[in-house]
């Protein structure tokens, strides 16, 4: 939500001849597009190395509890991981996005998360939360500033950050336009 507009602005100012194409998807699907030669590079979150790809860390971002409008006054601005098990959360399915890290953090505290529903798509989860359908745990970048008044954002102690990487094929040199975009992306971050 914040990276694409900043990249478009930087690209327009510094490399106006390059046409940017942005495709959204899960990290696994995007990584497959790189290995299939469908795209040159991707921004993704990965917990372990992905065969055939090299990655460069872009940034870490905090995972935050987001409460819908109906629950705005229900919690402090800071909670423990254990408090998540008492909430009906909208979460990504097991094994996707940052869910493995979330489940591991819960297990370290002796709890199991029981989501209200699971959705494969952070934008969908965020939209459902902002529309009042349930609380969620979201990366900080998934919470646009213009919607923060419609929800309550709560820091969760002992929750690891989500790591975001730029990935490309191993042994492959990016074409000049893709290399220029990758360079600008790192500058924007």
């Amino acid at each position: 939500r914040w990276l694409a507009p900043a990249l478009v602005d930087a690209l327009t100012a510094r490399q106006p001849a390059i046409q940017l194409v942005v495709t959204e998807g899960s990290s696994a699907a995007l990584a497959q597009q790189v290995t299939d030669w469908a795209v040159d590079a991707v921004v993704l979150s990965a917990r372990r190395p992905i065969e055939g790809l090299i990655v460069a860390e872009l940034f870490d971002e905090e995972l935050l509890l987001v409460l819908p409008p109906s629950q705005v006054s229900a919690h402090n601005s800071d909670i423990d991981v254990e408090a998540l098990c008492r909430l009906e959360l909208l979460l990504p399915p097991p094994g996707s996005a940052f869910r493995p890290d979330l489940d591991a953090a819960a297990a370290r505290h002796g709890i199991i998360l029981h989501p209200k529903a699971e959705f494969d798509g952070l934008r969908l989860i965020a939209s459902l939360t902002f529309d009042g359908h349930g609380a969620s745990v979201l990366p900080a970048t998934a919470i646009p500033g213009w919607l923060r008044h419609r929800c309550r954002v709560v820091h969760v102690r002992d929750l690891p950050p989500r790591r975001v990487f730029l990935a490309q094929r191993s042994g492959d040199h990016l074409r000049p336009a893709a290399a220029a975009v990758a360079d600008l992306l790192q500058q924007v971050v």
Side-chain angles (χ1 to χ4, degrees), residues 58-81:
L58 288 175
F59 59 91
D60 286 350
E61 65 179 326
E62 188 174 13
L63 295 174
L64 300 163
L65 172 64
V66 182
L67 299 165
S70 62
Q71 297 177 3
V72 164
S73 62
H75 288 277
N76 299 329
S77 60
D78 188 298
I79 64 167
D80 289 321
V81 171

Side-chain angles (χ1 to χ4, degrees), residues 15-180:
Q15 298 284 347
I18 295 176
Q19 179 184 2
L20 180 67
V21 176
V22 175
T23 302
E24 288 186 285
S26 69
S27 289
L30 293 172
Q32 188 62 50
Q33 288 183 33
V34 175
T35 59
D36 289 346
W37 294 80
V39 297
D40 294 307
V42 293
V43 174
L44 51 80
S45 176
R47 297 178 59 241
R48 57 188 173 279
I50 299 171
E51 187 176 335
L53 298 183
I54 56 171
V55 297
E57 188 173 333
L58 288 175
F59 59 91
D60 286 350
E61 65 179 326
E62 188 174 13
L63 295 174
L64 300 163
L65 172 64
V66 182
L67 299 165
S70 62
Q71 297 177 3
V72 164
S73 62
H75 288 277
N76 299 329
S77 60
D78 188 298
I79 64 167
D80 289 321
V81 171
E82 293 93 349
L84 294 178
C85 73
R86 294 188 293 277
L87 297 170
E88 291 186 328
L89 295 169
L90 307 176
L91 294 174
S96 66
F98 53 85
R99 178 69 183 271
D101 295 328
L102 188 58
D103 287 338
R108 280 192 300 275
H109 290 270
I111 61 170
I112 297 173
L113 300 175
H114 299 284
K116 176 180 181 177
E118 297 171 332
F119 301 94
D120 191 11
L122 295 181
R123 283 178 31 145
L124 176 57
I125 294 170
S127 294
L128 290 167
T129 296
F130 300 138
D131 287 342
H133 298 284
S136 61
V137 175
L138 294 170
T141 57
I143 311 164
W146 57 274
L147 277 177
R148 283 187 179 244
H149 73 281
R150 296 198 51 203
C151 61
R152 175 130 189 210
V153 178
V154 179
H155 170 75
V156 182
R157 291 184 296 275
D158 299 324
L159 200 55
R162 176 174 104 140
R163 292 222 148 132
V164 178
F165 301 90
L166 176 65
Q168 68 183 70
R169 285 175 294 282
S170 297
D172 183 32
H173 294 287
L174 291 176
R175 294 181 283 179

